[in-house]
Amino acid sequence: MLGEGRGAVEEWLSEFKTLPESEFSSYASTLYQKKNLVPALYRVIQDPNSELLEPVCHQLFELYRNSDDRLRRFTLQFLPELVWMYLRLTASRNRQSNGCIEALLLGIYNLEIVDKEGNSKLLSFTIPSLSKPSVYHEPSSLGSMALTEGALCQHDLIRVVYSGLHPQRETFTAQNRFEVLCFLMLCYNSAVVYMPPSSYQAVCRMSSRLCVCGFPRQQQKMWREPCNRVVLDAEFMVQMLTAIYHAIYNGEWDLGREALDDLLYRAQLELYSEPLLLGNAMKNSLPDSAPDGTRGKKVLQVEVTPTISRISRSAVTDLSSSSHTLRSQVHIQSCEEISTPHEMFLFF
């Protein structure tokens, strides 16, 4: 099945074993130049009966343990295909062929949940204050901060945790399966901008197949791989949507939209509110046709809101001094300065 790619995989397996640690950095730069290696590794992962699958999974884990980020990303690019094969084999109850993939996924998870000292890692971010300038805004452009300053000035001290203190896992169970997979997809999405186009294609294929396998919609697909229905988690589907959204605007317009439609189809059947909300918001924000379609590259376009004409200072003073939101006693002294009905709506 591998054909000519088998030699590339075997060479890759042998050369890393004899590589001294001092040459890891230079090896990482040459690894991405092996054009035949990545497609061959995908074919190995897709064949659960391949004798190369176990050594390939072992070496991918060794690369991920390395301190070089490029080597870690090389392994991470295969994560969508690994997740798809794991869930597919799990649904078919073929646990024997699933062992090395399961070990690789658990190994990556256990590496990511701790820092370099071995302590549990806490992923968090700090909410910035709008009262302080940034590359996106100037506080003066927001007008009076009287209503928001007291609430926002303290947000610099507030840390919002979105993932952390995950326990180590030695095996997958029905209870912890999607806890682990959600965290792995979170790690993938944090590095999605570094992934090659083949990984974007893989994440779209993974999303489509997981969502329609075992349902009538599978009969409309070109692929006919036998697969039982796969149980999905709402949070995991949200992580898939994040990857799909990036793929849509980075070269995979058709595959990404198909994956989005399939995910919405499954979310409707499962009545999952979060994937439905996010997926419909994504779909409604898409343009009618692919941006920059002549070059095959899609870009995310951002519109800049035009500057609003000045509003009478006395009008703002009257409104801010009133104890009620709307009072008929408030008089606008310079209505001529509000040029459009849209600006009138913004003012009130």
Side-chain angles (χ1 to χ4, degrees):
M1 181 179 177
L2 279 177
E4 297 180 356
R6 184 182 183 92
V9 174
E10 292 177 343
E11 179 184 357
W12 172 72
L13 289 172
S14 60
E15 66 183 1
F16 185 75
K17 294 178 181 178
T18 59
L19 194 69
E21 187 175 352
S22 58
E23 297 182 13
F24 282 163
S25 180
S26 59
Y27 175 73
S29 60
T30 60
L31 187 59
Y32 289 89
Q33 300 174 6
K34 301 178 184 292
K35 302 300 182 182
N36 297 328
L37 178 59
V38 171
L41 289 176
Y42 271 109
R43 289 194 291 272
V44 171
I45 295 172
Q46 293 163 359
D47 183 9
N49 299 318
S50 174
E51 69 275 12
L52 293 176
L53 181 58
E54 185 173 350
V56 163
C57 289
H58 176 74
Q59 181 138 318
L60 287 175
F61 179 67
E62 291 298 322
L63 291 179
Y64 202 83
R65 291 176 60 185
N66 197 279
S67 58
D68 192 294
D69 288 337
R70 290 171 296 178
L71 293 179
R72 296 167 63 88
R73 291 168 190 158
F74 183 83
T75 295
L76 204 58
Q77 69 177 310
F78 299 103
L79 182 65
E81 198 70 27
L82 290 166
V83 171
W84 154 244
M85 290 302 301
Y86 166 73
L87 290 176
R88 175 191 172 190
L89 294 173
T90 300
S92 64
R93 303 184 185 279
N94 188 1
R95 299 297 299 271
Q96 294 181 349
S97 302
N98 208 15
C100 53
I101 296 179
E102 180 175 332
L104 174 58
L105 294 176
L106 286 171
I108 296 175
Y109 167 81
N110 287 325
L111 284 177
E112 283 291 344
I113 62 174
V114 297
D115 54 23
K116 295 180 180 179
E117 288 74 26
N119 301 318
S120 295
K121 188 186 298 183
L122 196 65
L123 304 181
S124 61
F125 65 93
T126 302
I127 299 179
S129 172
L130 293 179
S131 62
K132 297 182 179 180
S134 71
V135 294
Y136 301 103
H137 80 290
E138 290 291 340
S140 58
S141 64
L142 300 178
S144 175
M145 299 293 294
L147 298 178
T148 58
E149 176 66 20
L152 293 177
C153 66
Q154 299 179 0
H155 283 185
D156 291 325
L157 304 177
I158 297 179
R159 187 173 60 175
V160 178
V161 176
Y162 62 93
S163 182
L165 299 180
H166 295 274
Q168 291 191 351
R169 302 295 184 184
E170 297 182 358
T171 184
F172 276 109
T173 65
Q175 289 73 29
N176 68 26
R177 178 174 296 120
F178 280 103
E179 177 189 344
V180 174
L181 295 181
C182 285
F183 185 80
L184 290 176
M185 283 302 299
L186 178 65
C187 297
Y188 178 84
N189 288 331
S190 66
V192 70
V193 295
Y194 301 104
M195 297 296 108
S198 59
S199 188
Y200 297 151
Q201 296 166 13
V203 79
C204 292
R205 290 196 305 265
M206 174 198 74
S207 302
S208 286
R209 295 181 180 187
L210 287 178
C211 290
V212 303
C213 277
F215 290 90
R217 192 165 189 161
Q218 184 180 2
Q219 304 304 319
Q220 304 174 11
K221 303 297 181 180
M222 299 295 293
W223 47 275
R224 291 290 186 270
E225 298 179 12
C227 180
N228 297 332
R229 185 175 299 181
V230 179
V231 177
L232 291 179
D233 178 79
E235 185 179 351
F236 180 74
M237 295 175 73
V238 170
Q239 292 297 333
M240 285 197 298
L241 282 171
T242 304
I244 290 170
Y245 191 63
H246 186 87
I248 286 175
Y249 284 101
N250 286 272
E252 300 303 329
W253 178 259
D254 295 326
L255 271 180
R257 287 192 306 159
E258 180 183 359
L260 176 58
D261 289 338
D262 291 337
L263 197 144
L264 283 172
Y265 166 80
R266 180 65 180 272
Q268 289 172 351
L269 293 176
E270 302 286 356
L271 296 179
Y272 286 155
S273 58
E274 292 183 6
L276 279 174
L277 180 63
L278 179 59
N280 282 316
M282 288 168 50
K283 186 173 183 178
N284 293 332
S285 69
L286 294 178
D288 296 332
S289 59
D292 201 16
T294 56
R295 293 185 295 170
K297 187 70 175 179
K298 288 73 181 175
V299 294
L300 182 60
Q301 297 178 340
V302 179
E303 296 183 1
V304 180
T305 305
T307 304
I308 302 174
S309 302
R310 289 185 59 190
I311 301 175
S312 171
R313 180 182 299 273
S314 59
V316 176
T317 303
D318 289 341
L319 282 176
S320 59
S321 61
S322 176
S323 59
H324 298 281
T325 306
L326 294 176
R327 293 179 63 98
S328 59
Q329 289 83 1
V330 175
H331 301 286
I332 303 176
Q333 296 182 355
S334 301
C335 293
E336 298 85 341
E337 297 182 14
I338 302 178
S339 57
T340 64
H342 176 65
E343 294 174 2
M344 182 80 76
F345 173 77
L346 290 176
F347 173 73
F348 285 106

